[in-house]
Amino acid sequence: MKTTAVSSAAISNAMRYSQSRMQVDLVKAQKEMDTGRVADVGLALGSRTTQSITFARDLDRLNGIVDSNALVTSRLSSTQDALGQLTDAAQALLGAMATASSGDMTDAVARDSGKAALQSLTAILNTSVNGEYLFAGTNTDVKPINDFTAAGSPAKAALDAAFLARFGFTQTDPAAANVTAADMDNFITNDVMPQFFGSGWQANWSNATGQQIVSRIALNETTETSITANNDGVKKLAMAAAMVNDFFSSSTLSSEAKRTAASRALSLAGEAVSDLGQTQSQAGLIQKRVSDATDRMNTQVDLFKKHILDIEGVDPYEAANRVNDLMSHIQTSFALTARIQQLSLLNFLT
């Protein structure tokens, strides 16, 4: 019979190797217990790994769009608030012009109402959210509207130049007292309106693009999710306020011409209120589409999570028991290793 010697060192090394393997298994088991899913998807699922990866990829896409929709919803909500403020400014100007067109308002009060509307218009349209201007269209990093009341304003310079070209003198010239109601009405129609509803708007007033931001709100659905400063309601409010601010600042312009300007501003302000209301309705419809799309995708997200859990999920009780068993074995192994390391021939002989 042949006998094989077994040393305490060999036994100790075998125990250490066993401990190392159990510690690796313990890490995996603890991960499965914490996450409720297999630690190594490829090892556990084999050929079904592709299905799990596909579900995970689709889930990530859906979650990305849901997160994007949250930003879109925030932008649309801020846009709605801004449109409401613009409507309030238009209504305030409308009320002031109703009085001014009848001649029952002083020039200074009328001028101030126009200036207030212009300042509100500029501040509201230049609102930004998360570093992006709401009304700039796709040109989100540039202020969408220029301040008519600022020094060197190109819009005011263009309006003054148009008056001079039409009549041959400025609004402050004594000859302005001879401007009739018909003259003023003709000037507004043929010279002022093109500055707002023609090329003059982009040249002097707006830095916004006519193209709106298009966002993907679902896997197979996109929609425009912004309002630009080139909206007709905005243009009408800007034109009404600019005329009132400019013409009522003159002490020499005839009262007939001023009442005509006030009457036209009254009409424009009323149209602006209507147009801005329609724009608010459109923004509200977009908000509803985004909300509905998000609800549908959240339902899909829940389904994908369920499918992934069905494929990758582990029994939490089994995972917990495996962790406990491994910890018990590791502790026992440590105890045995310590006892073996204490074995010595000298101790045996003595």
Side-chain angles (χ1 to χ4, degrees), residues 8-201:
S8 60
I11 297 175
S12 178
N13 288 334
M15 295 295 291
R16 279 198 296 269
Y17 175 71
S18 176
Q19 289 170 7
S20 176
R21 290 188 58 185
M22 285 190 292
Q23 286 172 341
V24 171
D25 291 341
L26 177 62
V27 171
K28 292 181 179 179
Q30 285 178 325
K31 182 178 180 181
E32 290 181 352
M33 183 179 69
D34 293 338
T35 64
R37 296 179 181 177
V38 293
D40 189 328
V41 176
L43 181 63
L45 301 183
S47 62
R48 299 180 66 197
T49 303
T50 301
Q51 185 179 6
S52 175
I53 292 174
T54 300
F55 282 147
R57 180 195 62 200
D58 291 340
L59 178 61
D60 288 341
R61 289 182 63 191
L62 287 172
N63 281 329
I65 297 176
V66 168
D67 293 341
S68 174
N69 282 357
L71 297 176
V72 169
T73 299
S74 176
R75 183 169 66 240
L76 287 172
S77 178
S78 299
T79 300
Q80 283 280 35
D81 291 341
L83 288 171
Q85 294 172 22
L86 281 175
T87 301
D88 292 341
Q91 288 176 333
L93 183 61
L94 179 67
M97 290 305 98
T99 303
S101 60
S102 65
D104 295 332
M105 178 179 285
T106 64
D107 290 355
V109 174
R111 177 200 64 214
D112 290 344
S113 67
K115 184 176 182 179
L118 283 170
Q119 290 175 337
S120 296
L121 176 79
T122 304
I124 294 167
L125 291 179
N126 288 337
T127 299
S128 65
V129 174
N130 296 324
E132 296 182 345
Y133 291 101
L134 291 177
F135 294 93
T138 57
N139 199 16
T140 57
D141 59 342
V142 177
K143 286 185 177 181
I145 207 75
N146 296 321
D147 187 357
F148 182 85
T149 62
S153 166
K156 187 177 189 317
L159 184 59
D160 292 342
F163 191 95
L164 178 62
R166 164 67 66 169
F167 299 108
F169 48 81
T170 65
Q171 300 97 307
T172 58
D173 192 284
N178 298 320
V179 176
T180 65
D183 292 336
M184 177 58 75
D185 190 65
N186 184 271
F187 168 64
I188 291 173
T189 300
N190 296 307
D191 297 284
V192 178
M193 289 196 71
Q195 295 190 23
F196 294 86
F197 296 92
S199 59
W201 178 256

Side-chain angles (χ1 to χ4, degrees), residues 93-99 101 240 244 261-271:
L93 183 61
L94 179 67
M97 290 305 98
T99 303
S101 60
V244 172
S263 179
R264 292 293 295 270
L266 173 66
S267 176
L268 285 167
E271 293 176 14

Side-chain angles (χ1 to χ4, degrees), residues 130-308:
N130 296 324
E132 296 182 345
Y133 291 101
L134 291 177
F135 294 93
T138 57
N139 199 16
T140 57
D141 59 342
V142 177
K143 286 185 177 181
I145 207 75
N146 296 321
D147 187 357
F148 182 85
T149 62
S153 166
K156 187 177 189 317
L159 184 59
D160 292 342
F163 191 95
L164 178 62
R166 164 67 66 169
F167 299 108
F169 48 81
T170 65
Q171 300 97 307
T172 58
D173 192 284
N178 298 320
V179 176
T180 65
D183 292 336
M184 177 58 75
D185 190 65
N186 184 271
F187 168 64
I188 291 173
T189 300
N190 296 307
D191 297 284
V192 178
M193 289 196 71
Q195 295 190 23
F196 294 86
F197 296 92
S199 59
W201 178 256
Q202 289 290 153
N204 303 316
W205 283 85
S206 175
N207 302 310
T209 63
Q211 184 179 1
Q212 296 173 291
I213 295 174
V214 176
S215 302
R216 180 168 296 281
I217 61 173
L219 290 175
N220 58 352
E221 185 178 2
T222 60
T223 186
E224 295 178 340
T225 55
S226 69
I227 306 296
T228 80
N230 299 331
N231 179 277
D232 281 349
V234 171
K235 293 179 180 180
K236 290 173 181 177
L237 176 57
M239 180 176 170
M243 289 194 307
V244 172
N245 177 79
D246 207 53
F247 300 147
F248 279 84
S249 295
S250 171
S251 60
T252 57
L253 190 63
S254 68
S255 58
E256 289 183 3
K258 289 178 180 177
R259 280 197 297 270
T260 299
S263 179
R264 292 293 295 270
L266 173 66
S267 176
L268 285 167
E271 293 176 14
V273 170
S274 176
D275 290 348
L276 290 170
Q278 292 181 3
T279 302
Q280 280 186 285
S281 298
Q282 293 171 358
L285 291 175
I286 295 172
Q287 281 183 294
K288 184 66 167 60
R289 286 186 62 187
V290 174
S291 176
D292 290 344
T294 299
D295 290 341
R296 291 196 302 272
M297 284 189 296
N298 281 331
T299 301
Q300 291 176 306
V301 165
D302 292 338
L303 288 174
F304 276 118
K305 287 181 177 179
K306 182 178 182 300
H307 288 318
I308 292 173

